[in-house]
Amino acid sequence: MTALTLSTAATPGLRADAIVIGVAKGAQGPVVAPGAEAVDKAYDGKLAGVLETLGASGAEGELTKLPAPAGFKAPLVVAVGLGAQPADKDGEDGEDGGYDAEALRKAAGVAARALAGSKKAAFALPVDGPGDLGAIGEGILLGAYSFDTYKGNAQDAGNGKAKNGKAPLAEATLLGGKPRDAAHKGALARAVAVCEELNRARDLVNTPPNDLTPAAFAGIAQAAAKEHGIKVQVLDDKALVKGGYGGILGVGGGSAATPRLVKLSYTHPKAEKHLAFVGKGITYDSGGISLKPAGHNETMKCDMSGAAAVFAAVVAAARLGLPVNVTGWLALAENMPSGSAVRPGDVLRMYSGKTVEVLNTDAEGRLVLADALWAASQENPDAIVDVATLTGAMMLALGSRTFGVMANDDAFRSAVHEAAEEVGEPAWPMPLPEHLRKGMDSSVADIANMGERMGGGLVAGLFLREFVGEGITWAHLDIAGPAFNEGGPFGYTPKGGTGSAVRTLVRLAELTAAGDLG
């Protein structure tokens, strides 16, 4: 991953492949953002005009390259758009207002991706405190991400060489930060810990399902837990049978790759609160007997994105040493059709003791989550948050970049939504209408795994609510849209696995540790 350093050096004397500056969209044209004063001065104060001549407007995601001015040791200036210029204290365009952290994060990500193949770049973006440094650091680390494990010569694996194309940016120096300032160093250290784990989640999502079976995923979790002092317990198929985990066993019964339930426990001696995170980990989803149609199978390796997010968040919490207990539950199975697969019409007895009539085997995520939610409930945590690529209905409702938030407590739903927006993960609060529950009534079981077609994402949330222990605060994140980017990269988001919800979960853990989440 790209190495991050802080520097107070003057921009002209920096030895780097490029200097990254910000440009905003002002009322009268592009405006050079704070941090780029030395570059602007070298252009005789006419840098904004030069950029406008080159077609720059300062719009978000825009990138313009131009030769560095005379006297600079770096040969290239990269101007990246920050979007609208913040208003000053009088409400007019000006420099009094700070730049939004997400704007800085996206701009840094765009620049880092464009500088693939470079050894070093200096980022002279606007900095007004450690929060901005953290956002820029995150943008660089997430934007420079590349998944090349299966490309080119396998001998290049792990040695930092580009196997098919350009290697990621090797080093980034952030200007405007003080190398000896504890807050500045802490902001960068946090960015590194969170982004390394988020990128690990991306790697897992991008790994082909023939290599990432439930057992393989569990093994990766065990190795990480050992490295970071996290207690881990893995229930294999025999232990699941003994424990009565009918949902996980039913979904995984059709595959030669047997299911697993992984429990990761991070504890802190000063913790006063306990959070439980539950992740859907369908390592491949064919739909089972209710087979998905052609064109819907190709990206189904991403159906374990929820478990990847939970795994990453627990490890990040441990690396940050947060004074909160965090337990992660990874419900891992492969959903395949075979002679031993669960059938439409079958009835499963879940870990909670409730029975579920399976009307559609492609509504499998809620079945594995139901067992894991009940298992998490037995420890009576202060709150449970589950994460899942659960329904296509949520994508229809919110698109491909926003996840839905449902909860059994309105205040907690709002808190989760606010945490997501704070870290730059678009989310939207969704209801759990009681009238939709009746559609899951079954004549042969306690509940069916399908209900009304309209509002299917909300129906799935209502199903999950049935398996949350009484009196426990719970939220459900349906990340079906943003978990996997099938289009081109944007901001700091790559094509493929995105690591959606990792930063939201980490922020919830931080807020809980600080006593700011109820």
Side-chain angles (χ1 to χ4, degrees):
M1 197 167 74
T2 306
L4 299 183
T5 58
L6 296 170
S7 177
T8 56
T11 310
L14 282 169
R15 295 187 180 278
D17 296 307
I19 305 292
V20 177
I21 64 170
V23 55
K25 190 172 185 179
Q28 305 301 321
V31 177
V32 177
E37 291 85 358
V39 180
D40 190 28
K41 182 179 179 181
Y43 276 97
D44 296 324
K46 299 178 181 179
L47 180 55
V50 173
L51 290 169
E52 188 171 23
T53 300
L54 293 173
S57 68
E60 180 183 293
E62 183 182 78
L63 186 135
T64 307
K65 295 181 179 180
L66 63 162
F72 276 61
K73 291 185 177 179
L76 180 69
V77 171
V78 176
V80 61
L82 293 166
Q85 182 185 21
D88 64 17
K89 295 175 182 177
D90 299 320
E92 303 294 335
D93 286 348
E95 296 181 3
D96 290 343
Y99 283 81
D100 178 73
E102 181 66 0
L104 295 174
R105 199 178 284 118
K106 289 179 178 178
V110 169
R113 184 171 59 253
L115 289 168
S118 300
K119 292 183 178 180
K120 183 178 181 179
F123 284 71
L125 295 173
V127 171
D128 184 19
D132 289 346
L133 287 171
I136 294 168
E138 287 181 11
I140 294 168
L141 297 174
L142 299 179
Y145 172 82
S146 179
F147 184 71
D148 296 321
T149 303
Y150 293 84
K151 293 180 180 179
N153 188 345
Q155 294 178 352
D156 290 335
N159 64 6
K161 293 182 180 180
K163 292 190 288 181
N164 187 358
K166 298 178 180 179
L169 173 65
E171 181 182 349
T173 296
L174 280 66
L175 303 178
K178 300 175 182 178
R180 296 183 181 181
D181 185 288
H184 291 186
K185 290 191 296 182
L188 229 56
R190 179 192 181 278
V192 170
V194 173
C195 292
E196 282 186 349
E197 297 312 320
L198 192 153
N199 283 339
R200 192 208 301 255
R202 288 173 169 179
D203 285 348
L204 287 167
V205 176
N206 289 326
T207 298
N210 57 318
D211 281 349
L212 192 72
T213 61
F217 196 154
I220 292 169
Q222 286 176 306
K226 183 178 180 180
E227 179 183 356
H228 297 288
I230 300 168
K231 185 178 179 181
V232 62
Q233 179 184 10
V234 177
L235 300 183
D236 61 12
D237 52 325
K238 294 180 181 179
L240 292 170
V241 169
K242 185 177 180 180
Y245 292 86
I248 297 174
L249 288 166
V251 173
S255 174
T258 54
R260 299 289 188 274
L261 178 62
V262 179
K263 177 185 176 184
L264 298 164
S265 302
Y266 161 68
T267 58
H268 192 281
K270 295 183 180 180
E272 296 181 356
K273 295 286 187 178
H274 176 200
L275 287 179
F277 297 151
V278 177
K280 173 187 173 182
I282 304 300
T283 57
Y284 182 74
D285 182 20
S286 69
I289 298 297
S290 304
L291 194 67
K292 292 180 183 292
H296 290 73
N297 285 299
E298 290 77 6
T299 62
M300 282 300 101
K301 65 181 182 179
C302 81
D303 214 17
M304 37 58 66
S305 296
V310 166
F311 168 46
V314 175
V315 178
R319 291 182 60 174
L320 294 172
L322 300 179
V324 58
N325 294 336
V326 183
T327 305
W329 299 83
L330 316 181
L332 309 176
E334 185 177 65
N335 187 24
M336 296 289 283
S338 75
S340 58
V342 66
R343 296 153 291 217
D346 282 355
V347 174
L348 302 177
R349 185 169 295 278
M350 313 298 281
Y351 180 56
S352 69
K354 287 185 179 181
T355 54
V356 176
E357 182 183 10
V358 179
L359 299 179
N360 187 325
T361 66
D362 196 23
E364 85 299 328
R366 65 199 68 182
L367 298 176
V368 300
L369 284 175
D371 277 354
L373 282 167
W374 189 253
S377 296
Q378 302 317 293
E379 297 189 341
N380 198 33
D382 292 285
I384 298 175
V385 180
D386 78 69
V387 188
T389 47
L390 206 58
T391 66
M394 196 55 57
M395 296 179 67
L396 292 174
L398 299 178
S400 61
R401 297 191 185 184
T402 304
F403 62 74
V405 183
M406 285 157 262
N408 61 2
D409 181 274
D410 289 346
F412 189 60
R413 181 184 62 190
S414 296
V416 173
H417 175 226
E418 290 169 7
E421 294 290 338
E422 181 184 350
V423 298
E425 294 196 311
W428 196 251
M430 304 290 283
L432 289 173
E434 293 298 334
H435 71 273
L436 291 176
R437 169 60 183 86
K438 184 172 177 57
M440 290 183 284
D441 286 348
S442 168
S443 60
V444 297
D446 295 322
I447 190 172
N449 77 328
M450 292 291 289
E452 294 184 29
R453 179 170 176 267
M454 300 300 178
L458 311 182
V459 170
L462 286 164
F463 179 91
L464 295 178
R465 190 182 65 178
E466 297 279 325
F467 298 90
V468 177
E470 186 176 354
I472 298 176
T473 301
W474 157 79
H476 160 56
L477 313 185
D478 191 336
I479 62 170
F484 196 84
N485 176 27
E486 295 187 60
F490 58 92
Y492 51 83
T493 302
K495 183 178 177 66
T498 65
S500 178
V502 172
R503 288 178 293 143
T504 296
L505 296 180
V506 173
R507 187 59 185 145
L508 288 173
E510 289 176 327
L511 291 168
T512 302
D516 296 331
L517 199 67

